[in-house]
Amino acid sequence: MDTYMDDMLTRLSRYASRESIERISRINNRKLIEWITEVAELLEPSSIFVNTGTKEDLEYIRRRAIEKGEEIPSKYNPLHTVHFDGVFDLARDRENTRILTVGGTSISMINTRDREEGLRELREIYKGIMKGKEMYIGFYCFGPKDSSFTLYGVQVTDSAYVMHSENILYRVCYDVFVEKGESLRYMRFLHSTGELNEYGWSKNVSKRRIYVDLLENMTYSVNTQYAGNTVGLKKLSLRLCVYQGYREGWLCEHMFIVGVKGPGDRVSYFTGAFPAGCGKTSTALIADTVVGDDLAIIRNVNGEARGVNPEVGMFGIIDGVNPVDDPEIYRILTSRDTEVIFANVLLTEDGEVWWNGKTSEPRKGINYAGEWWLGKLDEKGKPVPPSHPNARFTTSIFYLSKVDPRINDPIGVPVHGMIFGGRDSDTWVPVEEAFNWVHGIVTKAASLESERTTAVLGKAGEREFNPFAILDFLSISPGDFINLHFKFGEELTREPRIYGVNYFLRDDKGRYLTEKVDKRVWLKWMELRANNDVDALETPTGFIPLYDDLAELFRRELNKEFPVELYEKLFTIRVGKHLEKAERIYRIYYEKTPETPRLFFDTLLEHKRRLKQALDKYGSLIPPSKLDRR
């Protein structure tokens, strides 16, 4: 250890115990120790705890979360704890989430802030913000250990809840930082809950800031507790990962990775991107195996797209989870042997965790708004729901009975197909295959729209543009993200098939036309198509299933009949709606994203040409029975 490093550790010893200093000193990385020292001197914590990932350290973090009141244990299972964020901190904050750019350079459709101004503002907010608090430092892998796919991250926070969440969601990799020292490239995440009110909630939410500094591969989060704003390696790291992938030519996606079994012992792997509340988790859990439920890093390995899950946990929406539609996750959430952090649910007086979907009835207790009782109204006279619509659960993916045995494979799994889906009541059919990679990127991925849910602050129910289901997490323009996918596909010897799905198609009376379990059939059909085992019907918008294939799959997978009348209704091509959508999408990219490649517009114009030809030939509605099967 040189004199400079000794000086850093001496300065740090004002805030850290001898044991913590010793743990930090094992990491032979001058810049990292310098940063930790500067952060401690700015934030002025009363103590520092360094998480090395031992059983004792993990238990300490969990215990501190309870002692500090950030989590309340359930009487049903002491490993089940409940966390509350407060009424003004229940979702991702879009407005105050900003990409810091040099000189305030704008990025199309992305919130930005002048880097120097943003850092100056943060420095004032952070100054002394951890006085009287314990600072936690954690070291994590964003992917399997010993994988060329994997990124690394350092989290600094004053929230034991945040670190407890990360200990469940990610692999603790203190040993990798010790082993690799100066050679390791890593992301940094700095978070503080800020001053807390009498309920233990972040008090100064008007000064809530979530800033992403691409230049320094770092994120800042302050005056917030909601995990989507605070857990660094979750959606904050996704923005850094997207940017690194853009510069290096690989993909960082807001996607699950699942395995779907085909004939014999065959397993085909699919990734899937859905906006929050659109069936992403339920699709992952209805598949045969699960590699990951939320994020994916996809690289070209010898001409083949291969994907890894950078996480080992699940941070999912709990609202509506029930034993009929979600038996696997319901089992985990109600088990006496699992560790789960529940956020913004109802904790009843007798210590039971309750959410919308639980088989019991809600009873008096506490929730995200304080004390709750049946009939409680808010200041506007509206009923306060016992469990928030964006209530969440955090738990280990290894509790799943169907976790894929290749989850830790350092070279990932082969990606046979990519799935894109959102809330769409009147346009897309339940499942459709794109003509090719470029057509799929343009008409399925980049054209994704969905009804807004409660996972973000704002008015629920509005349909909004959300390309690749990742707009909120992009650190580059949507046009550049599209171009990255075009280039990535060009270098593959076998392109993954691309599919659009829609579980929310309604009839003229507003009733859903499909059931939740039907998505298993759509997955099985995609698996057969990806391996060229079944034919398909060509439409102006892509390839749809043949009736006989679906009827067989419904009988085999769900033991139910699939009436031909329902098939005709579900798979009618709504030409007029598609043309309206194509016009909307074209206008968005033309007016708002000048970086969009010419190939995108050419492909979309060809898509419109096919639709207009079909309109002239068949009319605005084209049931499958009208289409030429040659």
Side-chain angles (χ1 to χ4, degrees):
M1 189 72 65
D2 59 30
T3 304
Y4 181 79
M5 292 284 270
D6 284 340
D7 178 58
M8 288 294 110
L9 294 173
T10 299
R11 288 163 56 187
L12 199 54
S13 64
R14 293 175 52 202
Y15 311 95
S17 67
R18 182 176 300 176
E19 181 180 7
S20 292
I21 292 293
E22 196 275 330
R23 291 180 174 190
I24 293 171
S25 69
R26 287 186 214 155
I27 301 173
N28 184 26
N29 189 310
R30 178 186 295 239
K31 286 187 176 180
L32 178 55
I33 294 177
E34 184 179 74
W35 176 68
I36 291 172
T37 303
E38 291 173 352
V39 165
E41 290 178 339
L42 176 64
L43 278 60
E44 302 180 59
S46 60
S47 63
I48 294 175
F49 180 79
V50 179
N51 175 20
T52 65
T54 64
K55 183 178 179 181
E56 293 76 17
D57 284 2
L58 299 181
E59 178 52 36
Y60 176 80
I61 295 293
R62 183 182 175 279
R63 186 172 72 250
R64 289 295 292 142
I66 294 171
E67 291 171 351
K68 293 170 64 180
E70 290 190 276
E71 297 177 34
I72 305 171
S74 159
K75 292 179 182 178
Y76 177 80
N77 175 357
L79 289 177
H80 288 181
T81 55
V82 179
H83 167 80
F84 299 114
D85 292 308
V87 290
F88 302 111
D89 197 21
L90 291 163
R92 284 182 282 107
D93 184 351
R94 283 175 165 172
E95 175 59 29
N96 290 303
T97 299
R98 303 274 171 164
I99 305 295
L100 299 181
T101 62
V102 177
T105 304
S106 64
I107 302 173
S108 299
M109 301 193 72
I110 310 297
N111 286 339
T112 61
R113 176 83 195 271
D114 177 85
R115 183 173 182 271
E116 291 304 317
E117 290 180 0
L119 293 178
R120 194 180 309 120
E121 178 190 30
L122 287 169
R123 190 169 185 83
E124 288 302 313
I125 294 175
Y126 276 121
K127 193 172 183 179
I129 204 168
M130 287 191 187
K131 286 181 179 178
K133 295 183 178 183
E134 185 174 31
M135 174 190 285
Y136 307 98
I137 305 175
F139 305 85
Y140 299 94
C141 286
F142 195 65
K145 285 189 176 183
D146 303 317
S147 170
S148 60
F149 287 66
T150 297
L151 309 182
Y152 300 89
V154 181
Q155 173 78 64
V156 174
T157 179
D158 56 13
S159 169
Y161 158 70
V162 166
M163 188 147 289
H164 183 198
S165 298
E166 281 182 321
N167 290 344
I168 293 173
L169 292 168
Y170 304 96
R171 302 163 177 88
V172 181
C173 285
Y174 170 79
D175 56 329
V176 177
F177 279 78
V178 171
E179 176 190 342
K180 297 195 174 183
E182 295 280 3
S183 67
L184 192 66
R185 181 181 180 184
Y186 53 90
M187 304 174 283
R188 292 174 291 166
F189 310 98
L190 179 59
H191 166 254
S192 174
T193 61
E195 186 181 355
L196 304 178
N197 64 17
E198 65 272 24
Y199 300 108
W201 305 336
S202 291
K203 184 177 181 179
N204 300 312
V205 290
S206 63
K207 294 183 179 180
R208 178 170 49 206
R209 299 291 184 270
I210 305 100
Y211 287 170
V212 181
D213 185 1
L214 302 178
L215 197 63
E216 290 294 333
N217 208 24
M218 181 173 173
T219 73
Y220 301 87
S221 173
V222 65
N223 290 318
T224 178
Q225 292 168 297
Y226 175 67
N229 298 327
T230 62
V231 174
L233 279 93
K234 194 65 180 170
K235 297 302 167 50
L236 299 178
S237 66
L238 180 55
R239 295 171 174 91
L240 297 176
C241 184
V242 164
Y243 186 65
Q244 185 173 336
Y246 171 66
R247 286 165 40 227
E248 298 177 0
W250 45 268
L251 308 178
C252 198
E253 303 277 10
H254 187 207
M255 290 178 163
F256 62 59
I257 308 175
V258 298
V260 182
K261 294 181 179 178
D265 297 325
R266 186 176 72 201
V267 178
S268 301
Y269 291 95
F270 294 82
T271 63
F274 298 67
C278 293
K280 184 178 182 181
T281 300
S282 62
T283 303
L285 295 180
I286 210 168
D288 295 305
T289 68
V290 180
V291 179
D293 77 314
D294 192 38
L295 303 179
I297 296 174
I298 302 173
R299 289 180 179 261
N300 180 339
V301 179
N302 299 322
E304 180 179 57
R306 298 185 72 90
V308 303
N309 173 18
E311 306 180 297
V312 287
M314 300 179 289
F315 174 65
I317 293 176
I318 198 172
D319 192 61
V321 171
N322 65 81
V324 175
D325 299 317
D326 316 282
E328 173 108 274
I329 202 67
Y330 193 86
R331 171 187 61 80
I332 294 170
L333 298 180
T334 56
S335 169
R336 293 185 183 271
D337 302 315
T338 55
E339 181 178 11
V340 183
I341 305 173
F342 297 88
N344 304 316
V345 296
L346 172 69
L347 182 63
T348 65
E349 282 185 327
D350 53 0
E352 180 189 357
V353 176
W354 190 93
W355 65 88
N356 177 32
K358 198 84 179 284
T359 53
S360 60
E361 292 297 317
R363 301 184 298 281
K364 186 178 179 182
I366 56 174
N367 69 359
Y368 60 92
E371 291 188 25
W372 184 88
W373 57 90
L374 191 62
K376 182 179 182 180
L377 304 177
D378 64 17
E379 65 278 4
K380 296 181 179 179
K382 295 182 179 180
V384 176
S387 177
H388 193 267
N390 193 35
R392 297 275 179 158
F393 65 87
T394 301
T395 195
S396 171
I397 200 169
F398 292 108
Y399 291 136
L400 293 175
S401 61
K402 55 176 69 175
V403 66
D404 194 282
R406 300 174 71 177
I407 188 172
N408 289 315
D409 193 321
I411 62 167
V413 297
V415 179
H416 297 90
M418 290 184 173
I419 306 168
F420 296 91
R423 286 182 174 266
D424 177 359
S425 62
D426 58 16
T427 306
W428 280 10
V429 296
V431 61
E432 183 177 65
E433 180 184 306
F435 294 129
N436 51 53
W437 174 264
V438 170
H439 177 254
I441 293 300
V442 173
T443 66
K444 311 300 183 194
S447 297
L448 195 59
E449 295 176 301
S450 185
E451 182 180 294
R452 180 182 284 176
T453 70
T454 53
V456 295
L457 298 178
K459 185 178 179 181
E462 293 179 348
R463 180 176 292 192
E464 61 182 2
F465 171 69
N466 195 347
F468 299 83
I470 203 173
L471 184 59
D472 283 355
F473 315 116
L474 283 182
S475 47
I476 60 176
S477 77
D480 284 333
F481 199 59
I482 290 169
N483 202 35
L484 171 63
H485 284 76
F486 285 165
K487 291 180 178 179
F488 184 79
E490 286 174 2
E491 297 175 359
L492 299 175
T493 55
R494 185 184 65 81
E495 299 173 347
R497 304 281 182 97
I498 295 184
Y499 300 91
V501 298
N502 178 23
Y503 310 146
F504 302 94
L505 196 61
R506 297 175 185 260
D507 63 16
D508 53 9
K509 294 182 180 179
R511 297 172 298 194
Y512 289 119
L513 290 172
T514 62
E515 297 180 289
K516 288 184 177 181
V517 294
D518 292 353
K519 59 177 69 81
R520 181 164 178 82
V521 169
W522 316 139
L523 281 175
K524 290 292 184 178
W525 180 79
M526 287 184 270
E527 197 281 335
L528 294 173
R529 278 294 297 168
N531 291 280
N532 298 312
D533 285 351
V534 292
D535 291 328
L537 184 61
E538 184 173 343
T539 80
T541 55
F543 298 109
I544 63 172
L546 299 177
Y547 170 73
D548 290 343
D549 294 327
L550 287 185
E552 180 182 343
L553 286 170
F554 268 96
R555 283 193 294 269
R556 190 179 74 204
E557 298 297 328
L558 303 178
N559 193 29
K560 70 177 186 177
E561 296 300 311
F562 182 57
V564 68
E565 296 81 12
L566 179 58
Y567 168 74
E568 288 284 302
K569 189 178 294 185
L570 287 173
F571 289 92
T572 288
I573 305 302
R574 295 154 179 83
V575 179
K577 292 293 183 180
H578 276 282
L579 281 169
E580 291 173 11
K581 179 182 178 71
E583 288 290 347
R584 286 196 305 272
I585 299 302
Y586 191 100
R587 189 164 55 252
I588 288 171
Y589 282 101
Y590 184 78
E591 295 177 354
K592 298 183 178 182
T593 55
E595 307 85 359
T596 306
R598 183 72 241 173
L599 179 58
F600 172 87
F601 294 110
D602 290 344
T603 305
L604 195 56
L605 287 172
E606 177 63 18
H607 176 67
K608 289 171 64 178
R609 185 191 62 78
R610 281 192 302 269
L611 285 166
K612 288 177 179 177
Q613 285 183 341
L615 181 66
D616 292 340
K617 183 175 181 180
Y618 299 108
S620 185
L621 299 175
I622 313 176
S625 56
K626 279 191 177 181
L627 290 166
D628 188 349
R629 293 173 182 267
R630 288 178 298 174

